[in-house]
Amino acid sequence: MAEQLKGITIALAGPRKAEEMAKLVQNMGGTALHRPAQGTSFLDDAALRDGLTAWTDQPPDLAVLTTGMGLDALFEMAAKLELADRFLEVLSASPIAARGYKTVNALKKRGLEPVVRDDDGSTKGLIRGLQDWDLQGKRVRLQLHGESAPHLVQWLEQAGAEVSWVQPYRYTQPEPGALALLLADITEGRVNAVAFTSAPQFRFLTQYAREQGRLEELVQALEDKVLAVSVGRLTSEALKEEGVKRIIMPEHERMGSMFVELGRYIAASR
């Protein structure tokens, strides 16, 4: 495995654990370039406070949770507001729908189990799990991840649910010039692959490319000369939405696993 990425240059679009990812790439014989396409996420304390107060004052008929990190942030804020016991009581009393194994793990450590799960780690998989639920007139409280989820909200509302949400953290734009550099690396073929560890990273990049009138060029480059590497299904959804079909994705949603999967793909292609 040590030489599977020999001669391969990979742009790392994620700001988190960049040094750790670069070390893994180097250990596999490749070269890593830090090209963050997303700024640091930050906690929105005011939104958390208001969301938790509403959640505990008016318990929902269904809780929809989308990330383990977001659920942890909610419990941390609940502790600060001295609402931790009440929040756990409310969550225990309502059915829970969960997306992703990290969300399920965050629930388990608090003695909670979801009654609905996605079947593939994606938002679409979560919707499939809710297909047979009667949501007409039901109050649904949704915990968002670092960006909005218009497709999920629209589906819930079309099913007749009254939807409210809380967004514990938000993603920000990367440093000025970072997206221009990454776009040039991809379209000019200066890298062999680009690794995305969240959907917003690709969305920020495509938004910039669209503003420059170069979105089609970006997508074509990812189809022809630069491999798109995705950490998991939610990130892959963002790529597919823009027409990227050739995506390297591991079976297990872990940063290390995606480079191992890339190594296998490269080795099979040589």
Side-chain angles (χ1 to χ4, degrees), residues 12 17-27 30-32 259:
L12 305 178
K17 299 186 177 180
E19 291 185 9
E20 181 181 323
M21 287 192 289
K23 185 65 174 176
L24 178 57
V25 170
Q26 290 163 10
N27 289 343
T31 300
F259 294 116

Side-chain angles (χ1 to χ4, degrees), residues 127-139:
I127 289 173
R128 285 193 293 271
L130 288 166
Q131 288 283 358
D132 295 332
W133 276 65
D134 179 10
L135 297 174
Q136 187 66 45
K138 298 296 195 317
R139 293 191 310 274

Side-chain angles (χ1 to χ4, degrees), residues 1-167:
M1 186 177 79
E3 296 298 311
Q4 281 188 327
L5 296 180
K6 186 176 181 180
I8 301 298
T9 300
I10 304 169
L12 305 178
R16 293 181 60 245
K17 299 186 177 180
E19 291 185 9
E20 181 181 323
M21 287 192 289
K23 185 65 174 176
L24 178 57
V25 170
Q26 290 163 10
N27 289 343
M28 296 177 70
T31 300
L33 301 178
H34 191 207
R35 297 289 188 264
Q38 167 198 317
T40 304
S41 60
F42 65 91
L43 293 175
D44 191 333
D45 285 352
L48 269 176
R49 200 175 298 113
D50 294 345
L52 272 170
T53 300
W55 200 323
T56 52
D57 284 350
Q58 293 185 313
D61 298 306
L62 174 69
V64 180
L65 308 175
T66 62
T67 66
M69 188 167 74
L71 182 60
D72 288 341
L74 285 172
F75 270 102
E76 288 169 12
M77 177 57 74
K80 291 179 184 177
L81 299 175
E82 298 183 349
L83 285 173
D85 290 342
R86 173 58 180 163
F87 184 47
L88 182 59
E89 178 186 358
V90 168
L91 272 181
S92 301
S94 64
I96 298 171
R99 185 202 67 81
Y101 75 93
K102 291 181 181 179
T103 308
V104 174
N105 288 344
L107 286 166
K108 282 183 178 178
K109 71 181 182 182
R110 295 174 173 96
L112 300 172
E113 290 279 349
V115 295
V116 176
R117 280 204 62 178
D118 59 89
D119 56 15
D120 64 356
S122 72
T123 300
K124 289 180 181 178
L126 181 60
I127 289 173
R128 285 193 293 271
L130 288 166
Q131 288 283 358
D132 295 332
W133 276 65
D134 179 10
L135 297 174
Q136 187 66 45
K138 298 296 195 317
R139 293 191 310 274
V140 175
R141 176 68 63 168
L142 171 62
Q143 173 258 310
L144 294 172
H145 40 94
E147 58 179 352
S148 62
H151 182 65
L152 177 58
V153 171
Q154 181 183 41
W155 185 86
L156 289 167
E157 290 178 341
Q158 287 178 344
E162 178 187 328
V163 185
S164 57
W165 58 83
V166 59
Q167 191 167 358

